[in-house]
Amino acid sequence: RSTLFPYTTLFRSLFIGRLFGSVTNYDIVEALKAQGHDVERSMIRMPAGPIKQVGDYHLQVQLHTDALVTVNVSVLGES
C-alpha cells in the first residue's frame, strides 16, 4: 500500500495551455526530493516523453522490480 507523491508544481507558461520549456523526469525527481522522497531519474516512467502542456498527469515510479506506483502530477501555468 502506498500514499505516494501527489504534488503540484508551477512552471512558467508562454502561451495559454503551453509551457515555456517542458517538465522532464529531472524536474519530477527534484520536486519529489524536495518532499523528502528518495528517487532517481531512471525510476520515473514518462512513456509520452516530457510534459509540454499545462494539465494533470499520471506518471509511474518504479521503486523496485515488484513495486510500481502512480504519481499524480499537476502542472499549472502562471497567471
Side-chain angles (χ1 to χ4, degrees):
R1 219 172 83 128
S2 176
T3 57
L4 279 183
F5 314 131
Y7 82 95
T8 301
T9 187
L10 179 66
F11 291 88
R12 184 177 306 273
S13 60
L14 181 59
F15 302 107
I16 296 174
R18 305 233 1 130
L19 296 177
F20 182 73
S22 60
V23 179
T24 65
N25 58 354
Y26 177 81
D27 300 309
I28 303 298
V29 166
E30 291 302 310
L32 294 175
K33 284 184 177 181
Q35 292 183 356
H37 302 289
D38 186 27
V39 294
E40 297 176 12
R41 286 177 33 190
S42 61
M43 296 174 159
I44 307 297
R45 303 290 180 250
M46 299 179 76
I51 298 171
K52 297 182 180 183
Q53 292 188 333
V54 172
D56 295 325
Y57 298 88
H58 305 288
L59 305 178
Q60 294 188 325
V61 179
Q62 185 80 47
L63 298 176
H64 186 272
T65 305
D66 298 327
L68 184 67
V69 297
T70 300
V71 177
N72 300 316
V73 177
S74 295
V75 179
L76 308 174
E78 229 174 24
S79 53

